[in-house]
Amino acid sequence: MSELKVPTCIWCGKTIIPTEYFVKFPCPNCGGVTITRCERCRKFGRPYKCPKCGFVGP
Ligand SMILES: [Zn+2]
Ligand SMILES: [Zn+2]
C-alpha cells in the first residue's frame, strides 16, 4: 500500500500537521506499521498500540 494520506496520531487520532513536531517510527515488533504520535501525546508519555500486531509500547 502506497496511498498518500495525512498522518494521524495513533493515540488521539489527531491529524498531524507537517510543520508541527511529531514522532514517527516503525513498529519495533513487526516493523510493518509506522507509529505516529503528536507532540502532546509524546509529552504525556502516552503508550501506543500497533494496529497490526497489537504491540503496546511506551
Ligand atoms: Zn496525539
Ligand atoms: Zn506491530
Side-chain angles (χ1 to χ4, degrees):
M1 288 210 292
S2 57
E3 63 180 51
L4 200 77
K5 57 180 179 181
V6 183
T8 51
C9 173
I10 207 148
W11 200 93
C12 66
K14 192 183 107 145
T15 304
I16 305 284
I17 305 151
T19 53
E20 184 185 38
Y21 178 79
F22 67 98
V23 283
K24 192 173 149 190
F25 54 94
C27 170
N29 190 48
C30 69
V33 176
T34 302
I35 310 286
T36 317
R37 268 196 311 179
C38 69
E39 187 184 8
R40 266 180 92 87
C41 292
R42 192 197 68 88
K43 214 151 70 177
F44 285 114
R46 284 168 176 165
Y48 57 85
K49 190 182 177 195
C50 174
K52 196 179 176 186
C53 67
F55 177 81
V56 177

